[in-house]
Amino acid sequence: MIRHLCRLLLLLAFGLVGSAGMAAPPPGEYQIKAAYLINFARYVEWPSGRLPVGGVLRLCILGRDPFGGGLEGLDGRQVQGREVRLREVDNLEQAQDCHLVFVSGSEERRMGLILRGLAGRGVLTVSDIEGFAEAGGGIGLVTEENRVRFDINQASLVRDGLRASSQLLRLGRQVLGMERVSR
């Protein structure tokens, strides 16, 4: 009887594992954040001198890459008629050549230095470091009630010569540096 019960439990366990393997797992946090990055690139305009029509949009990761290969599918995609190129950068000088820089959590201690170094250079800065937008970053990703949301620092975008679309501004959890766009 015990042997029969053990076999039944094993079959049930394999059946549950097998059926769970067939269903697509929900996207992970950094897959969602990767999708946000490409959409930010779609809904932000750079000055034509900084990112000419038909030019390559350089999306960079500054610091340790938390995406675990989740950005690889973005390399070569088209956004606003521009090819997206991914690049990992190690320092501020390399980041200055980028159009969109994701500042990794590994750079939290240097965040102020990074934001000052990229200010006014036409670089959209994005991070999930707590308080990023409030500290002067362009867009801060926040997780709230198990959902990824974002805050926009409109004053920082204007300072950097960037323009967020009204749709993007309406979707932001908070828009700092301007009156909230009505829904």
Side-chain angles (χ1 to χ4, degrees):
M1 183 69 161
I2 292 176
R3 189 178 266 168
H4 179 63
L5 184 59
C6 287
R7 265 192 239 150
L8 181 61
L9 287 174
L10 277 174
L11 287 173
L12 282 173
F14 283 119
L16 290 175
V17 169
S19 66
M22 289 193 284
E29 176 184 355
Y30 278 94
Q31 287 176 309
I32 293 168
K33 289 178 180 180
Y36 269 111
L37 291 181
I38 199 75
N39 282 310
F40 294 152
R42 284 189 176 103
Y43 293 101
V44 170
E45 286 182 31
W46 282 261
S48 60
R50 175 73 171 122
L51 182 58
V53 174
V56 172
L57 188 142
R58 289 181 299 280
L59 191 158
C60 302
I61 307 299
L62 177 59
R64 198 174 318 121
D65 181 356
F67 294 92
L71 291 177
E72 291 171 6
L74 304 181
D75 196 41
R77 287 184 65 179
Q78 293 287 314
V79 171
Q80 296 184 16
R82 298 174 177 100
E83 185 176 8
V84 174
R85 283 287 158 213
L86 296 178
R87 187 171 162 204
E88 289 186 29
V89 295
D90 299 321
N91 58 55
L92 188 56
E93 291 75 33
Q94 292 174 341
Q96 291 172 352
D97 291 332
C98 302
H99 299 102
L100 190 157
V101 173
F102 180 85
V103 180
S104 173
S106 65
E107 304 304 301
E108 185 171 8
R109 291 175 42 205
R110 297 183 335 127
M111 181 174 67
L113 174 70
I114 291 166
L115 292 174
R116 285 189 301 278
L118 295 176
R121 296 190 175 268
V123 176
L124 174 60
T125 55
V126 180
S127 183
D128 57 3
I129 296 172
E130 188 174 332
F132 185 75
E134 293 85 348
I139 300 177
L141 296 168
V142 294
T143 303
E144 181 179 78
E145 297 176 10
N146 294 323
R147 290 184 55 201
V148 177
R149 308 278 314 273
F150 59 94
D151 296 334
I152 301 172
N153 187 324
Q154 178 67 1
S156 293
L157 295 182
V158 169
R159 174 201 67 208
D160 296 333
L162 306 171
R163 191 170 79 80
S165 73
S166 59
Q167 295 103 323
L168 185 62
L169 293 172
R170 277 193 296 272
L171 291 173
R173 183 184 77 148
Q174 282 188 94
V175 178
L176 308 167
M178 72 170 276
E179 291 296 316
R180 176 83 176 159
V181 176
S182 63
R183 289 188 190 257

PDB file of all heavy atoms in Angstrom, residues 21 27 29 31 38 69 74 86 89 97 108-109 115 130 149 152 156 162 165-166 169 178:
ATOM      1  N   GLY A  21       5.723  23.333 -16.608  1.00  0.00           N
ATOM      2  CA  GLY A  21       6.729  23.624 -17.624  1.00  0.00           C
ATOM      3  C   GLY A  21       6.103  24.027 -18.945  1.00  0.00           C
ATOM      4  O   GLY A  21       6.729  24.706 -19.751  1.00  0.00           O
ATOM      5  N   PRO A  27       6.517  37.226 -16.904  1.00  0.00           N
ATOM      6  CA  PRO A  27       7.794  37.925 -17.069  1.00  0.00           C
ATOM      7  C   PRO A  27       8.363  38.333 -15.721  1.00  0.00           C
ATOM      8  O   PRO A  27       7.632  38.721 -14.820  1.00  0.00           O
ATOM      9  CB  PRO A  27       7.438  39.140 -17.923  1.00  0.00           C
ATOM     10  CG  PRO A  27       5.963  39.278 -17.846  1.00  0.00           C
ATOM     11  CD  PRO A  27       5.404  37.938 -17.475  1.00  0.00           C
ATOM     12  N   GLU A  29      10.868  40.628 -13.152  1.00  0.00           N
ATOM     13  CA  GLU A  29      10.976  42.068 -12.904  1.00  0.00           C
ATOM     14  C   GLU A  29      11.864  42.761 -13.930  1.00  0.00           C
ATOM     15  O   GLU A  29      11.515  43.813 -14.477  1.00  0.00           O
ATOM     16  CB  GLU A  29      11.528  42.293 -11.494  1.00  0.00           C
ATOM     17  CG  GLU A  29      11.773  43.734 -11.158  1.00  0.00           C
ATOM     18  CD  GLU A  29      12.411  43.913  -9.779  1.00  0.00           C
ATOM     19  OE1 GLU A  29      12.573  42.930  -9.035  1.00  0.00           O
ATOM     20  OE2 GLU A  29      12.761  45.063  -9.469  1.00  0.00           O
ATOM     21  N   GLN A  31      12.717  41.680 -16.941  1.00  0.00           N
ATOM     22  CA  GLN A  31      12.139  41.617 -18.289  1.00  0.00           C
ATOM     23  C   GLN A  31      11.168  42.777 -18.476  1.00  0.00           C
ATOM     24  O   GLN A  31      11.130  43.407 -19.526  1.00  0.00           O
ATOM     25  CB  GLN A  31      11.411  40.293 -18.508  1.00  0.00           C
ATOM     26  CG  GLN A  31      12.328  39.106 -18.665  1.00  0.00           C
ATOM     27  CD  GLN A  31      11.529  37.822 -18.773  1.00  0.00           C
ATOM     28  OE1 GLN A  31      10.663  37.547 -17.940  1.00  0.00           O
ATOM     29  NE2 GLN A  31      11.827  37.044 -19.793  1.00  0.00           N
ATOM     30  N   ILE A  38      12.868  50.175 -23.651  1.00  0.00           N
ATOM     31  CA  ILE A  38      12.634  50.352 -25.086  1.00  0.00           C
ATOM     32  C   ILE A  38      11.454  51.291 -25.320  1.00  0.00           C
ATOM     33  O   ILE A  38      11.458  52.082 -26.260  1.00  0.00           O
ATOM     34  CB  ILE A  38      12.464  48.980 -25.792  1.00  0.00           C
ATOM     35  CG1 ILE A  38      12.695  49.118 -27.303  1.00  0.00           C
ATOM     36  CG2 ILE A  38      11.132  48.362 -25.540  1.00  0.00           C
ATOM     37  CD1 ILE A  38      14.124  49.281 -27.693  1.00  0.00           C
ATOM     38  N   GLY A  69      20.929  39.167 -19.397  1.00  0.00           N
ATOM     39  CA  GLY A  69      20.706  38.846 -20.805  1.00  0.00           C
ATOM     40  C   GLY A  69      19.338  39.262 -21.318  1.00  0.00           C
ATOM     41  O   GLY A  69      19.027  39.065 -22.481  1.00  0.00           O
ATOM     42  N   LEU A  74      16.712  43.358 -27.490  1.00  0.00           N
ATOM     43  CA  LEU A  74      16.516  44.745 -27.919  1.00  0.00           C
ATOM     44  C   LEU A  74      17.578  45.197 -28.912  1.00  0.00           C
ATOM     45  O   LEU A  74      17.347  46.126 -29.678  1.00  0.00           O
ATOM     46  CB  LEU A  74      16.533  45.689 -26.706  1.00  0.00           C
ATOM     47  CG  LEU A  74      15.538  45.394 -25.583  1.00  0.00           C
ATOM     48  CD1 LEU A  74      15.687  46.430 -24.480  1.00  0.00           C
ATOM     49  CD2 LEU A  74      14.125  45.360 -26.113  1.00  0.00           C
ATOM     50  N   LEU A  86      23.012  47.972 -28.011  1.00  0.00           N
ATOM     51  CA  LEU A  86      23.281  47.812 -26.576  1.00  0.00           C
ATOM     52  C   LEU A  86      24.770  47.889 -26.312  1.00  0.00           C
ATOM     53  O   LEU A  86      25.581  47.454 -27.133  1.00  0.00           O
ATOM     54  CB  LEU A  86      22.779  46.460 -26.089  1.00  0.00           C
ATOM     55  CG  LEU A  86      21.283  46.228 -26.160  1.00  0.00           C
ATOM     56  CD1 LEU A  86      20.952  44.833 -25.682  1.00  0.00           C
ATOM     57  CD2 LEU A  86      20.549  47.246 -25.331  1.00  0.00           C
ATOM     58  N   VAL A  89      28.840  49.811 -20.217  1.00  0.00           N
ATOM     59  CA  VAL A  89      29.900  50.796 -20.018  1.00  0.00           C
ATOM     60  C   VAL A  89      30.374  50.728 -18.565  1.00  0.00           C
ATOM     61  O   VAL A  89      29.617  50.408 -17.667  1.00  0.00           O
ATOM     62  CB  VAL A  89      29.441  52.222 -20.393  1.00  0.00           C
ATOM     63  CG1 VAL A  89      29.133  52.310 -21.888  1.00  0.00           C
ATOM     64  CG2 VAL A  89      28.224  52.663 -19.609  1.00  0.00           C
ATOM     65  N   ASP A  97      28.708  58.940 -24.258  1.00  0.00           N
ATOM     66  CA  ASP A  97      28.468  58.646 -25.670  1.00  0.00           C
ATOM     67  C   ASP A  97      27.129  57.947 -25.899  1.00  0.00           C
ATOM     68  O   ASP A  97      26.768  57.679 -27.037  1.00  0.00           O
ATOM     69  CB  ASP A  97      29.588  57.763 -26.230  1.00  0.00           C
ATOM     70  CG  ASP A  97      30.915  58.502 -26.324  1.00  0.00           C
ATOM     71  OD1 ASP A  97      30.895  59.739 -26.486  1.00  0.00           O
ATOM     72  OD2 ASP A  97      31.966  57.841 -26.224  1.00  0.00           O
ATOM     73  N   GLU A 108      25.060  52.898  -6.995  1.00  0.00           N
ATOM     74  CA  GLU A 108      24.307  53.765  -6.088  1.00  0.00           C
ATOM     75  C   GLU A 108      25.199  54.759  -5.354  1.00  0.00           C
ATOM     76  O   GLU A 108      24.848  55.928  -5.214  1.00  0.00           O
ATOM     77  CB  GLU A 108      23.516  52.921  -5.087  1.00  0.00           C
ATOM     78  CG  GLU A 108      22.628  53.744  -4.190  1.00  0.00           C
ATOM     79  CD  GLU A 108      21.689  52.895  -3.355  1.00  0.00           C
ATOM     80  OE1 GLU A 108      21.811  51.656  -3.357  1.00  0.00           O
ATOM     81  OE2 GLU A 108      20.820  53.492  -2.700  1.00  0.00           O
ATOM     82  N   ARG A 109      26.357  54.325  -4.910  1.00  0.00           N
ATOM     83  CA  ARG A 109      27.236  55.224  -4.159  1.00  0.00           C
ATOM     84  C   ARG A 109      27.791  56.340  -5.027  1.00  0.00           C
ATOM     85  O   ARG A 109      28.154  57.395  -4.530  1.00  0.00           O
ATOM     86  CB  ARG A 109      28.367  54.429  -3.510  1.00  0.00           C
ATOM     87  CG  ARG A 109      27.809  53.552  -2.390  1.00  0.00           C
ATOM     88  CD  ARG A 109      28.770  52.627  -1.730  1.00  0.00           C
ATOM     89  NE  ARG A 109      30.086  53.142  -1.444  1.00  0.00           N
ATOM     90  CZ  ARG A 109      31.157  52.379  -1.329  1.00  0.00           C
ATOM     91  NH1 ARG A 109      31.070  51.082  -1.480  1.00  0.00           N
ATOM     92  NH2 ARG A 109      32.324  52.905  -1.065  1.00  0.00           N
ATOM     93  N   LEU A 115      25.127  61.518 -12.194  1.00  0.00           N
ATOM     94  CA  LEU A 115      24.095  62.441 -12.653  1.00  0.00           C
ATOM     95  C   LEU A 115      24.682  63.818 -12.991  1.00  0.00           C
ATOM     96  O   LEU A 115      24.305  64.429 -13.989  1.00  0.00           O
ATOM     97  CB  LEU A 115      22.971  62.555 -11.623  1.00  0.00           C
ATOM     98  CG  LEU A 115      22.126  61.293 -11.462  1.00  0.00           C
ATOM     99  CD1 LEU A 115      21.128  61.454 -10.324  1.00  0.00           C
ATOM    100  CD2 LEU A 115      21.436  60.927 -12.765  1.00  0.00           C
ATOM    101  N   GLU A 130      16.529  53.542  -5.522  1.00  0.00           N
ATOM    102  CA  GLU A 130      15.500  54.282  -4.792  1.00  0.00           C
ATOM    103  C   GLU A 130      15.818  55.777  -4.765  1.00  0.00           C
ATOM    104  O   GLU A 130      16.948  56.178  -4.486  1.00  0.00           O
ATOM    105  CB  GLU A 130      15.394  53.751  -3.361  1.00  0.00           C
ATOM    106  CG  GLU A 130      14.231  54.326  -2.599  1.00  0.00           C
ATOM    107  CD  GLU A 130      14.056  53.683  -1.236  1.00  0.00           C
ATOM    108  OE1 GLU A 130      14.432  52.520  -1.058  1.00  0.00           O
ATOM    109  OE2 GLU A 130      13.521  54.376  -0.351  1.00  0.00           O
ATOM    110  N   ARG A 149       6.496  50.557 -11.830  1.00  0.00           N
ATOM    111  CA  ARG A 149       5.974  51.868 -12.220  1.00  0.00           C
ATOM    112  C   ARG A 149       7.172  52.780 -12.445  1.00  0.00           C
ATOM    113  O   ARG A 149       8.313  52.369 -12.244  1.00  0.00           O
ATOM    114  CB  ARG A 149       5.082  52.443 -11.113  1.00  0.00           C
ATOM    115  CG  ARG A 149       3.972  51.546 -10.602  1.00  0.00           C
ATOM    116  CD  ARG A 149       2.709  51.523 -11.431  1.00  0.00           C
ATOM    117  NE  ARG A 149       2.212  52.801 -11.846  1.00  0.00           N
ATOM    118  CZ  ARG A 149       1.396  53.602 -11.162  1.00  0.00           C
ATOM    119  NH1 ARG A 149       0.971  53.239  -9.966  1.00  0.00           N
ATOM    120  NH2 ARG A 149       0.997  54.763 -11.651  1.00  0.00           N
ATOM    121  N   ILE A 152       8.988  60.402 -13.323  1.00  0.00           N
ATOM    122  CA  ILE A 152       9.704  61.200 -14.322  1.00  0.00           C
ATOM    123  C   ILE A 152      10.112  62.520 -13.696  1.00  0.00           C
ATOM    124  O   ILE A 152       9.296  63.190 -13.069  1.00  0.00           O
ATOM    125  CB  ILE A 152       8.807  61.473 -15.544  1.00  0.00           C
ATOM    126  CG1 ILE A 152       8.349  60.161 -16.180  1.00  0.00           C
ATOM    127  CG2 ILE A 152       9.534  62.357 -16.564  1.00  0.00           C
ATOM    128  CD1 ILE A 152       7.305  60.334 -17.266  1.00  0.00           C
ATOM    129  N   SER A 156      14.703  67.581 -15.114  1.00  0.00           N
ATOM    130  CA  SER A 156      15.956  66.978 -15.579  1.00  0.00           C
ATOM    131  C   SER A 156      15.919  66.728 -17.086  1.00  0.00           C
ATOM    132  O   SER A 156      16.910  66.944 -17.783  1.00  0.00           O
ATOM    133  CB  SER A 156      16.225  65.660 -14.848  1.00  0.00           C
ATOM    134  OG  SER A 156      16.483  65.903 -13.495  1.00  0.00           O
ATOM    135  N   LEU A 162      15.824  66.943 -23.588  1.00  0.00           N
ATOM    136  CA  LEU A 162      14.952  65.822 -23.953  1.00  0.00           C
ATOM    137  C   LEU A 162      13.500  66.224 -23.781  1.00  0.00           C
ATOM    138  O   LEU A 162      13.174  67.058 -22.943  1.00  0.00           O
ATOM    139  CB  LEU A 162      15.262  64.609 -23.073  1.00  0.00           C
ATOM    140  CG  LEU A 162      16.726  64.166 -23.052  1.00  0.00           C
ATOM    141  CD1 LEU A 162      16.939  63.106 -21.995  1.00  0.00           C
ATOM    142  CD2 LEU A 162      17.154  63.663 -24.418  1.00  0.00           C
ATOM    143  N   SER A 165       6.939  62.512 -24.351  1.00  0.00           N
ATOM    144  CA  SER A 165       5.615  62.692 -24.937  1.00  0.00           C
ATOM    145  C   SER A 165       4.578  62.851 -23.831  1.00  0.00           C
ATOM    146  O   SER A 165       4.785  62.421 -22.690  1.00  0.00           O
ATOM    147  CB  SER A 165       5.254  61.490 -25.809  1.00  0.00           C
ATOM    148  OG  SER A 165       4.961  60.372 -24.994  1.00  0.00           O
ATOM    149  N   SER A 166       3.465  63.454 -24.176  1.00  0.00           N
ATOM    150  CA  SER A 166       2.403  63.639 -23.195  1.00  0.00           C
ATOM    151  C   SER A 166       1.867  62.288 -22.715  1.00  0.00           C
ATOM    152  O   SER A 166       1.493  62.144 -21.554  1.00  0.00           O
ATOM    153  CB  SER A 166       1.276  64.493 -23.766  1.00  0.00           C
ATOM    154  OG  SER A 166       0.728  63.889 -24.918  1.00  0.00           O
ATOM    155  N   LEU A 169       4.187  61.095 -20.007  1.00  0.00           N
ATOM    156  CA  LEU A 169       3.997  61.891 -18.793  1.00  0.00           C
ATOM    157  C   LEU A 169       2.725  61.481 -18.058  1.00  0.00           C
ATOM    158  O   LEU A 169       2.697  61.442 -16.833  1.00  0.00           O
ATOM    159  CB  LEU A 169       3.966  63.376 -19.133  1.00  0.00           C
ATOM    160  CG  LEU A 169       5.282  63.964 -19.649  1.00  0.00           C
ATOM    161  CD1 LEU A 169       5.077  65.388 -20.143  1.00  0.00           C
ATOM    162  CD2 LEU A 169       6.372  63.889 -18.602  1.00  0.00           C
ATOM    163  N   MET A 178       7.018  69.722 -12.747  1.00  0.00           N
ATOM    164  CA  MET A 178       5.963  70.340 -13.567  1.00  0.00           C
ATOM    165  C   MET A 178       4.609  69.956 -13.011  1.00  0.00           C
ATOM    166  O   MET A 178       4.486  69.039 -12.218  1.00  0.00           O
ATOM    167  CB  MET A 178       6.062  69.921 -15.035  1.00  0.00           C
ATOM    168  CG  MET A 178       5.659  68.487 -15.311  1.00  0.00           C
ATOM    169  SD  MET A 178       5.518  68.077 -17.041  1.00  0.00           S
ATOM    170  CE  MET A 178       3.873  68.614 -17.395  1.00  0.00           C
TER     171      MET A 178
END
